């Protein structure tokens, strides 16, 4: 069987920074509350940039890093819950702007698990033969659907995009994936149907039962990571880098504890970007690479959870030589 893995990676975040102190002036909150409950200190907020704008920036870096031409891409998948428009797919806008003229394009909606879902799809497309390079992008601008007068959500989210080129690898590449969903919990985290004229104020904004999502996340992050490692036949102690969805440091710490990982093996950037939804894992992976924390042959575990409720985990052998 053909092996498939990540050949190049990149990320992009908007320049605009929104700190906890800025939020103190907007809602009844404090830097102390946000820091201790979430680990977030600041987040990046788009100032006019759309999801496709950030996706294009991240994807250009991933394409250059993989040393392919845009025309070498056979498919563009954008994992997002904040598409520029209801249709066409954001992936089509990105495909056009990148010049991926030979590629098909579609969006995938799995909330913050979206990048791992798309990575799974891309891996199977490449392994099946006809697709040589699949561009996988996780991109979201949650600020567009965040109510900045609601302290229970507005302190959590940020904007960004991360991208990876998935293609044939000489090494083992993606070892295993594990995707799941519990649609019965879907109303714990949702966006009421968007309409041009929203029936009520809340129709345009994220609704979340934070503590329900928290309990789900603490359980599923550990469960999903252990299951994907079992499928990959990798012992938790052999994981070199754990790259979890960056939603809340307490959730990350609980998952790392379940795996018995020491702090040096856990990548955290939630303090800088908050929860960037589908972009969170690829941004973290790309930053980890940029910081020299990934060596060829390292075993990396990705795990995320999000709207759906969904979860997704992947175990892979890192292919790309050190940054
Ligand atoms: O990618 C998936 C997206 N969603 C998530 O990852 C969310 C998962 N959930 C969480 O991360 C946590 O549940 C939160 C960070 C959202 C909340 O933390 P918590 O420890 O579960 O707090 P809580 O919701 O139980 O609220 C505790 C208190 C409440 O006050 P009372 O009722 O105890 O008086 C809230 O009203 O904290 C209050 N509170 C705040 N206070 C200051 C809620 N938000 C804030 C805030 N600043 N921003």
């Amino acid at each position: 069987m053909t092996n498939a893995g990540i050949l190049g990676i990149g990320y992009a975040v908007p320049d605009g920074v929104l700190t906890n102190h800025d939020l103190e002036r907007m809602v009844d909150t404090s830097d102390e509350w946000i820091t201790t409950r979430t680990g977030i200190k600041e987040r990046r907020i788009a100032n006019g940039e759309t999801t496709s704008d950030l996706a294009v920036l991240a994807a250009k870096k991933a394409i250059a890093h993989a040393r392919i031409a845009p025309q070498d891409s056979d498919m563009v998948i954008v994992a997002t819950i904040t598409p520029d428009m209801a249709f066409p797919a954001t992936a089509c806008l990105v495909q056009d702007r990148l010049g991926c003229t030979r590629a098909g394009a579609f969006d995938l909606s799995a909330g913050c698990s979206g990048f791992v879902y798309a990575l799974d799809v891309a891996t199977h497309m490449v392994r099946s033969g006809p697709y040589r390079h699949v561009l996988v992008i996780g991109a979201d601008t949650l600020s567009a659907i965040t109510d900045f007068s609601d302290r229970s959500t507005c302190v959590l989210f940020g904007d960004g995009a991360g991208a990876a080129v998935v293609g044939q690898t000489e090494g083992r590449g993606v070892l295993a994936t594990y995707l799941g969903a519990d649609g019965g919990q879907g109303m714990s985290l949702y966006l009421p149907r968007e309409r041009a004229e929203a029936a009520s104020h809340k129709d345009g904004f994220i609704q979340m039962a934070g503590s329900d999502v928290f309990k789900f996340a603490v359980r599923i992050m550990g469960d999903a990571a252990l299951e994907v490692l079992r499928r990959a036949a990798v012992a938790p102690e052999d994981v070199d880098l754990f790259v979890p969805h960056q939603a809340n440091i307490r959730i990350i710490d609980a998952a790392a504890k379940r795996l018995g990982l020491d702090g040096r093996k856990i990548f955290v950037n939630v303090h800088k970007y908050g929860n960037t939804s589908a972009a969170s894992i690829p941004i973290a992976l790309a930053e980890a690479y940029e910081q020299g924390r990934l060596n060829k042959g390292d075993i990396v575990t990705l795990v995320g959870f999000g709207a759906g409720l969904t979860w997704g985990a992947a175990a892979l052998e890192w292919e790309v030589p050190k940054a």
Side-chain angles (χ1 to χ4, degrees), residues 2-264:
T2 306
N3 290 338
I6 291 175
L7 306 181
I9 191 151
Y11 73 99
V13 289
D15 292 334
V17 176
L18 183 69
T19 66
N20 290 352
H21 295 296
D22 294 329
L23 284 160
E24 283 175 343
R25 291 189 284 275
M26 295 161 67
V27 287
D28 180 15
T29 191
S30 65
D31 173 49
E32 200 265 333
W33 191 96
I34 302 169
T35 306
T36 54
R37 298 287 177 130
T38 71
I40 302 166
K41 296 298 279 184
E42 59 186 45
R43 63 292 286 143
R44 299 300 185 92
I45 300 293
N47 179 17
E49 300 101 322
T50 62
T51 295
S52 69
D53 292 334
L54 297 173
V56 165
L57 290 173
K60 278 186 178 168
K61 292 180 189 169
I63 287 172
H65 186 214
R67 297 181 188 190
I68 65 165
Q71 301 85 339
D72 295 332
S73 176
D74 300 300
M75 185 61 71
V76 178
I77 309 175
V78 176
T80 187
I81 52 169
T82 48
D84 287 21
M85 291 174 272
F87 64 86
T90 299
C92 294
L93 309 178
V94 171
Q95 181 254 13
D96 174 52
R97 286 169 59 190
L98 290 173
C100 297
T101 46
R102 289 182 45 255
F106 67 96
D107 286 359
L108 185 157
S109 173
C112 308
S113 314
F115 179 80
V116 181
Y117 264 66
L119 178 64
D120 172 275
V121 172
T123 298
H124 288 97
M125 292 179 97
V126 170
R127 280 191 192 148
S128 72
Y131 299 90
R132 285 180 48 244
H133 299 107
V134 179
L135 185 55
V136 176
I137 306 167
D140 269 309
T141 44
L142 289 191
S143 64
I145 55 166
T146 297
D147 179 353
F148 281 96
S149 66
D150 174 7
R151 71 175 185 175
S152 69
T153 53
C154 74
V155 302
L156 303 175
F157 303 119
D159 301 331
V165 173
V166 175
Q168 275 188 25
T169 52
E170 285 172 16
R172 294 186 298 161
V174 176
L175 303 171
T177 51
Y178 170 46
L179 308 182
D182 178 1
Q185 292 199 65
M187 297 312 280
S188 309
L189 177 55
Y190 69 103
L191 179 70
R193 187 176 172 80
E194 277 181 290
R195 279 174 288 163
E197 294 148 57
S200 72
H201 175 70
K202 76 169 204 173
D203 276 10
F205 298 123
I206 296 172
Q207 307 296 313
M208 184 176 74
S211 60
D212 292 348
V213 178
F214 186 88
K215 283 180 214 135
F216 167 81
V218 163
R219 178 177 59 78
I220 206 66
M221 290 278 276
D223 286 356
L226 288 172
E227 173 57 18
V228 84
L229 291 174
R230 190 193 65 75
R231 292 180 180 195
V234 171
E237 56 269 28
D238 293 332
V239 171
D240 295 296
L241 194 68
F242 180 54
V243 183
H245 171 41
Q246 308 284 316
N248 184 319
I249 192 66
R250 291 187 290 146
I251 297 171
I252 294 172
D253 286 346
K257 199 168 164 196
R258 278 280 299 284
L259 296 179
L261 295 178
D262 78 65
R264 284 168 304 174

